[in-house]
Amino acid sequence: MASGAAELENMEVQPQNNNTRWENTDNQAWDDTTATAKLFECSRIKALADEREAVQKKTFTKWVNSHLARVSCRISDLYADLRDGYMLTKLLEVLSGEQLPKPTRGRMRIHSLENVDKALQFLKEQRVHLENVGSHDIVDGNHRLTLGLIWTIILRFQVGCDNAVLAGPSGEPEIIDFSKLTKSNAMYNLQQAFNLAEQQLGLTKLLDPEDVNMENPDEKSIITYVVSFYHYFSKMKALAVEGKRIGKVLDQAVEIEKLMERYELLAAELLAWIERTVGIISNQKFANSLAGVQQQLQAFTTFCTLEKPVKFQEKGNLEVLLFSIQSKLRAQGRKLYVPSEGRGIADINKAWARLEKVEHEREVSLRNELIRQEKLELLAQRFDHKAGMREAWLGENQRLVAQDNFGYDLPAVEAAMKKHEAIEADVSSYEERIQVVVELALALEAEGYYDVRRISAQKGSILRQWGLLTELVGARRARLEQSLALQTIFQEMVYMIDWMEEMQAPLLSREVGKHLLEVEDLLQKHALLEADVAAQSERVQALNQAALKFCELAGYQPCDPQIIRNRVTHVQTCLEELCQRAAQRRTELEASRHLWAFFQELEEAEAWVREKEQILASKPCGKDLSSVLQLSGQHKVMLGELGGRRALLHQAVKKGEQLVATQGPGTARLQEKLREVRQRWKKLEEVTGTHQQKLQEALSFYQFSAETDDLLAWLQDTYRLASSDDFGHDEYSSQALLRKHATVAQELERHRAPVLALRAQLARLAPQHHQVVDVQIRIVEVEQLYGEVAEVAVLRHQWLQDALAVYRMFGEVHACEGWLDEKEQWLSGMHVPQELEDVEVVQHRFESLDQEMNSVMGRILDVNETVQQLVEGGHPSASEVQSCRDHLNGRWNRVVELVEQRKDHLGSVLTIQNYLLECTEIKAQIREKRRAVEASQYSSGDLGGVLALQRKLSTMEAALVVLEPKLLELQQEGEALATAHPAQALTVLLHFEEISEEWEALKRTLQGCEDSLSVASRLQQFIQDLDNFLTWLVKTQAAVASEELPSNLAGAERLLSQHTALKEEIDRYEEDYTKIQAASDLLALEEADVPCLSLQQWLQKLDVGWNKLLQMWESRREALVQAHIFHLFLRDVQQAEACLRNQASTLAHAELPTTMEAAEKAIKKHKDFITTMELSVPKTTLALRAGESLVRQGSPYSERAQEEMAALRDNHQNFQLAQEWMQQLNDHWDLQRFLQNCQELAGWMREKRLMAGDQAAKPQARWLRHQEFRAQLAQNREWLHKIEQEGQQLLEEKPELAGSVKRQLEEIRQCWGELESTAQARAQHLLEASKAEQLVQSYADLDKRLVNMEGQLQAVDAGASLATVNNQLKKLQTMESQMEEWYKEAGQLQAQLASLPLEPASKEAVDEKQNAVGTRIVRLIEPLKERRRILLASKEVHQVCRDLEDEISWVQDRLPLATLRDHGSNLQAVQHFIKKNQNLRRELQVHQPRVDEVLERAGALASIKSPEVDGVRLLLEKLRELWGALGEQTEQRQHLLDATYQVEQYYFDVGEVEAWLGEQELLLLNEEKGKDEQSTLQLLKKHLVLEQSIENYEETIAQLSRQCRALLELGHPDSEQISRRQSQADRLYVSLKDLVEERKAGLEQQYWLYQLSREVDDLEHWIAEKEVVAGSPELGQDFEHVTVSEAPADGRWGRLGRIPPGHGACITSPHVPPQRGRPLRSAPIPQQVRQLQEGAAQLRTVYAGENADAIATKEQDVLRAWKELLGSCEACRLQITTTTDKMRFTSMVRDLISWMDGVSCQIGTGEKPRYRGQRGLALGASDGSAQPSPC
């Protein structure tokens, strides 16, 4: 097997070694041999590689199709059909038998990559190594990697299945007739073999005979085909071996089958028992009582000790049976028995483990349930104790909260609320105790206590009592809250009535205002008052609704409903009266506001109409288009305003007509005002229409003029372009001029329609415009100029097209002639070489020459076509063009003939050289193969050498078959060449003769090597296999003969596992043993020579050793099984003994507890101990049974097993002792529980006896405490009964405890009787004392309150102020309410006294208190009435005095504001003072009704003759005097403020205008001119915007002038100053307009200058580039290159010569600043001209003839252009200098004139100059060139 694998590896490595050898040979050839040998080696390698690749492709394609045929698929091209990955996936599925991921359907590359990736990933998962193979390689169709992938798949799925590829039989005698085959006819033999394999064996024909019968056949293809034979024969051999083995094991199979059936039956029964038991034990339903749980625990213990051990023994027997079955199967070499599903040992062990788990869970659950039942009993006792105490407390508190004693006034109700809150706090704190009882009951319910119904009923009773108590508390609180809310509402009603009385006075005023501002002020104040009324009305409604809700209450009512309704009605009546007066007051104020607002609207409309009439009368119609457009825009704005005002005026007129129809005050004045407004509006509309018509006519005329001028200017520019004589100097420039001319023609066509429409537009103008002579003349000029431009444009277009065609033709001719010169020179000087490499190089150049000739021929045809067109079109240069064409055609024909001659000569030389090279290659191959055959020698002792020699010979024969046809072809080709080339005939024939000699020598060598091989290979293979098997046999016998015995259980398991593994190894070598026997039979038939012993001796040793090995293994297995069973027994015995020792130690140290808790813990602990003992019993039983089994079976370890069993039985007595100790613990726990209950009840009775004797508290408190005690006593009576029952039960069950139990019962009964008698006597005494005490306390409290009221009435005086009187009245009202409530309370106490039986002493005390209370109530009624009358009279006097003082203070506060002499120094101050004075006037108007009301009330009070009203009279006179003075001062101040406001408004407007003009002047004085062309353009745009804004500001100046005239007409004192300010503003505006024009001119000049500088820079940059080109040493590779480099320079120099004179002058002008960051390049130009002259001189010396003339001509052109440029620059410089001096002088004159005007103005006004004038003077003082400010 190893040798077969090595052979496969050698076959795979061999091609790589061959490649390496060829590479080394190539390297050596390149270095050492000639070029011919090198070319031969390269071509030979390529031919062999292609041949091998073709064979592999064909073989692999057939192999793939043979497998794809199973799924009805097929491929035709291996490389193409595997690209999409679909067929590759199908192939892998067929070979592996596995399902691969579904291929992706799609024809895109990404789909193919994904499918191939899936296939490659599957191969990687199969651990197939892919070297440098990626999905993209397969998708791209890489031949080498695709073949490598298929070969890898073949190795993995066909060759890799079994490496012994060549170990099968050599042939089938039945289907092959070897007598008809001969060694000399290899092709026929191969064909017959392949056909028979396909027809008889069904093997696909993967190879053809010619693929095998060659010198070096493809190893991979051979292996692929041979492997298919191996698989076929290996299947046949396997079937024969299986038939022999069946009969050998058939008898043993019957016996083993019976054992299997028995095992299945026993396993099923055991599993069924386990399942039933698990179902029973896993039931977790327990009895819900302590006794029931104890019975279930006892039944479970019985199961663990009796039933389970028997089943455990059955489980062990089942394991032994399965082990026997498996041992017999291993001995027979059969597959181990696998029990049916669910009946294996592992399944049984799992089921048994589940049984033990359920058993343990059952035991734990029973123990836990027992503990839970005990805890429930204790919880039930605690619940009974606490529930009784809570029920007693709840009953007492229910009686307490059922009483209602709230009082009849607000303070009493608040005190009752506080008491109730204290009760609620006490109840809420007791909720936790109730919750404890509920939690105990819930815990019992949750745990499922057996007496849960009684617990739930008692818990429900407590919760119901608690709920009733909380309801009573909540209801009492609700009643208290109702009483408190009603008293609060009554108090709020009193406050609201007082407020409404105060609000009546402002609503009764009759003042409605004398102008609009005053009316609006009154409305605002009235709105505030209405808002207050609305807010308070909502409050009143809320109070009324809240009060009426108390009338609708069902059940408890805190007051009489009729009283509540009366109070609500009174409050509602007062509110409705107040709202009615407020609505009436608003109606009067709204009517007054409408009238005054209408008058103000009419005045505003009339003023607006007057203003617009003045504007329209003063506006002109414009002097140019821009002014007309500006005026039109203004007029549109005004029309929009007019439309808006028209709608407003109509609405106002309609409103006025409605007011006239009402016939109110001021109707006549209103009608007159309406008539005046209608007349003015009609006049304004007429003036507006006339002005709009004039503007439209002027706009049409100016637009027509501007369009005509623009059209005329465009036509002039176009004529200059169309009449130019520049047609270009080359093809590029002509194309550019033609494109420009096309653009001009399009523009000309677009302007045709506007030219034709000029006269129609002139006819549509107004009569005064279309008769202007200048306009008609311009129209005629436009029409004539347009016709001339159109004619010139047509001519220029034709000339440009002709020039372009000529330039193109000459360019093509020059290019073609240059190429022809180059190729003609090369062909003339070329000679054909004789070396093969040089010939191939020359041939390659001819191939590229063909491509160039095709390209040049196309260009020549284009030239001929162009020339033909020019001649037919009559071009002026037609003859010159024709001669150029003829010359080009002639040269082309000469070059074509020369090329054909050189090609024929080259072809003949190349054919002979290729033939010689091929002969050399064939001869080298034949010589190499002969040497390889001669070097191969046969070695009889080496099987590998024999196989290698056979492969080499077969490969060599196949290679010879391929070479033989090639030799025939070479012979024919040599004869043909000798005939065609007689000069080379001898060389050609000699080469072929040498090949023939080498071929004959190779045939002779092969024939001699084939006769020397024999069949020694099979003998070598047999000896090697036999030696390996005997070596293994000796080693295995030594391992089986080991006598090692285990010393412990782990060692036994380890040795048994090792022995089982040894058996598996023996079974695996049994097949090798059979193969050796068959091989020995075959060698005996062939009578081969054996080098060592005879064949029979080897076979006898082999049979004896094999049988001995099997016997030794069986005996060793029996010994190891016995040792393993004995060590298992020892382990179980040791575990059982340790458990028994621990149990005995625990029982020996147990002690009885002294308390109930300790007894419970001891019982629980001992129960766990017993459970542990019960669990350990099965282990002991199993150990004893295992020992008995060992003794019965006669184990060698039986004596030691008997000793261990005897020791274990002696220690098996602990369970009885544990049961006895458990009984003692239970009895002791019952006694301790009874004693503890007795002690608790005795302690409680002692505590209550002490409480019953306590006399420190009050009677009422003692009574409540006694009630609680009686409830607890009744509740705990059951506790006593329960203790007695427990005592009797103990006496019956445990007589030995009778002494202590009887003694405890007698003590408990005696204490209980004494406690009951004491409680009854004390209850009677406390009941009577509590009732009498309560009545006496109630009368005492009432008497104390009455005494307190008497003291309050004696301390109250008449009051020194209004606040004091109001407080006294509120206190008096509270006293009266309290008096009513106390009277009702006294009646209720009297009723209680009559129904209560009292003792004489108690009744006498109560009567005394009742009489005292009645007497005090009667004495308090009359003083309360008298006190109310006195307080009301005092309140009226104090209220009037307070009102008079408030009004006097109000007037005094506002009088200084009315008498203020400061009228304000600026507009803001004046406006502020006017607003304050207007507010003051509005306040006086609003406050007038209030003053009148106060004066009226004070006058009525002053008429009373009383000393208390003297102060009222004095205040009345003072108020009347101050009020009159305040009104007069306010009116005078208003007139003065109005006059001051007009003057300050004018000054403010003038200041704003001067400030704005100053700001604009500062902007215009900015010296910024722009850093470049773009920034200058931006500044110019900003200046135009500024200029427009200054033009629009003219209207503001006019408006200011109108204000000045209005003030002068009014004769204002400051008229002179106003006039000066107006003149100053006019002069500033005129000066600003002059500055605008000046700056605009400067910016335009600067912009033009930057444009010129940019053009100059562009030219300089171009000159610098061309200077670099002209100075380059590169003169051009050919004529075309020189022409291309020279042409653009000529055009640019011509452009430089055409620079306009004005632009050239600006370049050298010193006054033109260069652009920032880019200095002018005028300075280097002279130097460049000099360099050009020097370069031209050098070129003339190098290029003589025509080139020198051309260079001189160009030089003269440059110098001439340079002189023109210098002259233009000088002229421009002089012109700019003159213009600059002129502009500087004009600017200085203008500045001086402006400065003198400013100084004259300042001298005349005597004021300091403002804004820019001041700055101009300052600058003039320091610099004479500064610009002064105009006045």
Side-chain angles (χ1 to χ4, degrees), residues 1594-1808:
E1594 184 178 1
E1595 180 63 27
T1596 303
I1597 300 297
Q1599 180 66 27
L1600 189 64
S1601 178
R1602 289 193 292 272
Q1603 291 182 5
C1604 178
R1605 288 197 300 271
L1607 290 174
L1608 293 177
E1609 291 175 358
L1610 292 176
H1612 196 274
D1614 297 335
S1615 298
E1616 185 177 356
Q1617 183 179 359
I1618 293 171
S1619 178
R1620 288 198 299 270
R1621 294 292 297 275
Q1622 182 62 35
S1623 300
Q1624 179 80 6
D1626 294 339
R1627 285 193 292 273
L1628 285 173
Y1629 183 71
V1630 174
S1631 175
L1632 186 63
K1633 296 183 69 174
D1634 294 339
L1635 286 175
V1636 169
E1637 295 296 331
E1638 180 182 347
R1639 179 165 174 78
K1640 180 179 179 181
L1643 289 174
E1644 289 176 348
Q1645 293 176 5
Q1646 186 71 15
Y1647 179 66
W1648 296 336
L1649 188 58
Y1650 280 129
Q1651 284 183 331
L1652 178 60
S1653 178
R1654 175 171 51 79
E1655 294 183 2
V1656 171
D1657 287 344
D1658 294 341
L1659 287 174
E1660 289 175 355
H1661 182 64
W1662 177 84
I1663 292 171
E1665 291 178 353
K1666 296 308 173 183
E1667 180 183 2
V1668 174
V1669 176
S1672 175
E1674 178 65 36
L1675 303 179
Q1677 299 175 357
D1678 49 22
F1679 179 75
E1680 181 181 359
H1681 188 189
V1682 175
T1683 306
V1684 172
S1685 301
E1686 182 183 10
D1690 296 341
R1692 286 297 230 169
W1693 282 114
R1695 181 183 172 188
L1696 181 62
R1698 291 193 298 272
I1699 294 177
H1703 290 263
C1706 292
I1707 296 176
T1708 59
S1709 177
H1711 302 284
V1712 181
Q1715 290 187 4
R1716 183 177 181 181
R1718 293 182 59 189
L1720 292 175
R1721 301 180 182 175
S1722 298
I1725 293 179
Q1727 182 179 356
Q1728 295 175 9
V1729 174
R1730 288 194 298 272
Q1731 292 176 357
L1732 180 64
Q1733 292 175 351
E1734 295 173 358
Q1738 294 176 0
L1739 291 174
R1740 283 197 299 272
T1741 60
V1742 176
Y1743 300 98
E1746 297 180 357
N1747 292 333
D1749 297 338
I1751 292 171
T1753 304
K1754 294 296 182 181
E1755 181 183 6
Q1756 294 300 323
D1757 293 341
V1758 172
L1759 293 177
R1760 183 170 56 256
W1762 173 245
K1763 291 179 181 180
E1764 293 177 359
L1765 176 62
L1766 291 178
S1768 301
C1769 290
E1770 183 62 24
C1772 184
R1773 185 183 64 78
L1774 293 176
Q1775 183 180 0
I1776 290 175
T1777 303
T1778 304
T1779 305
T1780 303
D1781 295 341
K1782 181 180 178 182
M1783 292 178 64
R1784 185 182 296 111
F1785 173 75
T1786 305
S1787 178
M1788 291 176 62
V1789 171
R1790 184 171 62 252
D1791 292 344
L1792 288 174
I1793 293 172
S1794 178
W1795 175 77
M1796 288 186 290
D1797 292 342
V1799 173
S1800 300
C1801 182
Q1802 292 175 12
I1803 293 172
T1805 58
E1807 289 185 353
K1808 293 182 179 180

Side-chain angles (χ1 to χ4, degrees), residues 1557-1582:
L1557 294 175
E1559 292 174 359
Q1560 305 306 317
E1561 186 176 5
L1562 291 175
L1563 293 176
L1564 294 173
L1565 290 175
N1566 187 6
E1567 298 298 335
E1568 183 180 3
K1569 297 293 185 180
K1571 300 176 181 179
D1572 51 17
E1573 182 181 354
Q1574 188 64 28
S1575 60
T1576 305
L1577 181 61
Q1578 294 295 332
L1579 289 175
L1580 187 59
K1581 291 180 180 179
K1582 292 181 180 178

